Amino acid sequence: MSVEQKKVSIFALGGLHEIGKNMYAVQYGEDIVVIDCGNKFPDESLLGIDLIIPDITYLVENKEKVRALIVTHGHEDHIGGIPFFLKKINVPVYATRFTLGLIELKLKEHKLLRETELVEINADSNITIGEMSATFFKVNHSIPDCLGIVFNTPEGNIVHTGDFKFDLTPVNKEYSDIHKMAEIGKRGVLLLLSESTNAERRGFTPSEHIVGEHVEEAFKKAKRKIFLSTFASNISRVQQVVDAAKATNRKLALLGRSMVNVVDVAIERGYLDIPDGMLIGQDEIDEMDPEKVAILCTGSQGEPMAALARLSNSSFRGVEILPEDTVILAAGPIPGNEKNVSKIIDNLYQLGANVIYGSGSSSGMHVSGHGYQEDLKLMLTLMKPKYFIPIHGEYRMLHHHRLLAETVGVEQNHTFIIKNGDVVDIVNESALQTRSIPTGNTYIDGIGVGDVEEIVLRDRKQLSEDGMLVIVLTISKSERKLITEPDAISRGFVYGGNSEQLLRDVNRLVGKTVNELLEANRDSWNVIKKNVKKTIGQHLFSHTKKKPMVLPIIIEI
């Protein structure tokens, strides 16, 4: 009997054809290594859902093969799902010093810190995982301590870039290790997985240094309090705000739990330099002259409960934005968040604030942490892969990245644009995509993980759009007939106007339907409910063009 030949398999459980919940895996024989485990935030159609994380059913079914989780960096779309992953598959977690600090915050919150093995790595680390080993290289991104990964497998080298751009003058002095990347390419790269977020944008990504100059200029021009909102994890930008506050002799207050937590981690681990005495508490803001205060806050993506949104509608206790205050949005909206951000900007203008927003040349307050087309081409040129899988982006981004790869020498039929769950198998250095594994979304709803099915979301959508109609039926247990008239109660459906007449018609129609069923000895509760739902649903749609949820409740006496 022939033994099946071992192969390298590469697949994604999240991050393809979408922005967020990045999760990838490399498998050789009996060894699976997982790369990142992120989340993404729901859109308006997912009512009541707090977070979306990858469906890890395949990994749970093969948990004896899962050896490790390697984390490229500490953004939410790469670490947000880790606590939920570890509750089902407890494996060692490998990450850099700063990234581990952010992961520890999550594990403490979920009471998992004691039982989790956390292993600190850096660009010089070399770890052995079953029949594979992993080495690393430094990349530059909008958060400290980011790594790319090289998996050394018996088939060849598999490279995952992590999120990156080539910033030649980084604020945090964390330079991309271009020489090491070139060495990796020289040794040979069988397959490259490279992020695609900005594959549609021409040129090189601007340097973070540009932002620092504009922030300091805005601080010098501001007449009263300054509010600046950015990603808490963008420590380079936070440092530039600190430097601008120092240059203009302002104290600095932090608003928002994530901002406070991340800044604490960055100071503790040596990634942020804040002069002694600069930080003040929230309660000290109003005690100081407005021209001596700057406030760094969360909410640049329009999150409704974050600090900036609450400040914009005057509901943040103890702190308010007044006319002539300056508000700076030092982050670009992630696709899908534009509407929420625009609403906040409108609110800020109504408060009389001087609002500075927009990226690039429009304000200079934000540059992307993701590589533009020339950055992506440079990575491809350095790595010189035989095969290529564009990752981390929606389909059009992956498509444009494929076109870029062809311009720098990757053969057209050697690029795989795959979906979450598609598996690329490599045997004898030849790659094929012929199979898939189960994947999808897991919804986090309060403390529930994965217990919200599509039918629940459909019900929530129906309730939000057309409301509901509860119909109470009181039936005699002995005589099998209605004791009282049906009672229809409307919630979120109709109110006032012609609603009373409509509900009276509904009660009469329900009474007629139920009596006919009882007379025909069709007195099963399920039969009665089904017929009432159908009859009333049709009647309501014909009269109102709405489809409320109809809930018959039967009381037997």
Side-chain angles (χ1 to χ4, degrees), residues 176-227:
S176 302
D177 196 341
I178 297 175
H179 296 292
K180 193 169 186 178
M181 294 179 205
E183 287 171 14
I184 293 164
K186 193 173 181 180
R187 290 199 304 267
V189 173
L190 179 60
L191 183 140
L192 174 69
L193 298 99
S194 181
E195 72 127 320
S196 311
T197 314
N198 279 333
E200 300 168 280
R201 302 178 76 171
R202 294 184 177 183
F204 280 101
T205 309
S207 171
E208 182 69 26
H209 252 301
I210 295 170
V211 177
E213 296 166 6
H214 285 92
V215 167
E216 186 166 330
E217 184 184 350
F219 269 53
K220 288 175 178 175
K221 289 180 178 178
K223 297 173 183 175
R224 291 177 48 85
K225 293 195 300 292
I226 298 172
F227 293 81

Side-chain angles (χ1 to χ4, degrees), residues 329-532:
L329 273 72
I334 292 169
N337 293 343
E338 296 89 350
K339 186 177 177 183
N340 290 341
V341 174
S342 295
K343 177 63 177 172
I344 286 174
I345 292 169
D346 276 1
N347 290 346
L348 293 170
Y349 275 121
Q350 289 180 44
L351 292 174
N354 171 31
V355 189
I356 303 172
Y357 62 97
S359 58
S361 59
S362 58
S363 75
M365 292 299 176
H366 175 67
V367 296
S368 178
H370 300 274
Y372 288 11
Q373 289 183 350
E374 298 304 314
D375 301 70
L376 301 182
K377 283 155 69 175
L378 178 54
M379 179 65 78
L380 284 157
T381 302
L382 290 168
M383 291 296 173
K384 296 182 289 189
K386 180 177 180 181
Y387 294 104
F388 175 50
I389 301 178
I391 59 170
H392 198 293
E394 293 168 352
Y395 183 85
R396 68 183 186 282
M397 301 167 186
L398 310 181
H399 170 76
H400 281 285
H401 203 172
R402 175 176 63 184
L403 298 179
L404 293 175
E406 290 172 16
T407 68
V408 294
V410 178
E411 292 182 31
Q412 186 174 6
N413 60 350
H414 281 198
T415 297
F416 295 88
I417 295 186
I418 58 175
K419 303 187 295 292
N420 293 331
D422 288 349
V423 182
V424 174
D425 293 312
I426 305 177
V427 182
N428 296 330
E429 297 188 17
S430 180
L432 286 172
Q433 196 284 304
T434 58
R435 64 189 181 99
S436 298
I437 59 169
T439 187
N441 293 329
T442 297
Y443 299 121
I444 310 297
D445 182 8
I447 60 171
V449 180
D451 51 6
V452 179
E453 303 293 342
E454 289 297 330
I455 190 168
V456 176
L457 293 173
R458 282 202 304 272
D459 285 350
R460 289 179 181 178
K461 189 170 188 293
Q462 185 179 6
L463 287 168
S464 72
E465 291 177 349
D466 292 330
M468 72 174 180
L469 193 69
V470 178
I471 300 169
V472 181
L473 302 167
T474 308
I475 297 176
S476 168
K477 195 171 185 179
S478 56
E479 298 180 29
R480 311 308 293 165
K481 67 176 185 179
L482 285 169
I483 296 173
T484 61
E485 278 208 0
D487 185 13
I489 304 164
S490 167
R491 289 292 180 269
F493 169 47
V494 288
Y495 183 79
N498 299 323
S499 64
E500 289 184 14
Q501 183 59 48
L502 179 66
L503 294 181
R504 280 197 293 270
D505 292 344
V506 165
N507 288 337
R508 278 197 294 271
L509 185 56
V510 171
K512 179 173 178 289
T513 302
V514 173
N515 283 326
E516 287 174 358
L517 290 169
L518 293 174
E519 288 169 10
N521 287 323
R522 299 178 64 196
D523 54 3
S524 156
W525 281 22
N526 284 339
V527 171
I528 293 172
K529 286 182 176 182
K530 187 176 178 181
N531 277 270
V532 167

Side-chain angles (χ1 to χ4, degrees), residues 97-114:
R97 179 173 166 77
F98 183 70
T99 305
L100 282 182
L102 300 182
I103 292 171
E104 284 175 15
L105 290 176
K106 294 187 172 298
L107 298 184
K108 281 178 188 173
E109 191 178 326
H110 288 261
K111 298 181 173 56
L112 292 171
L113 189 56
R114 285 187 178 182

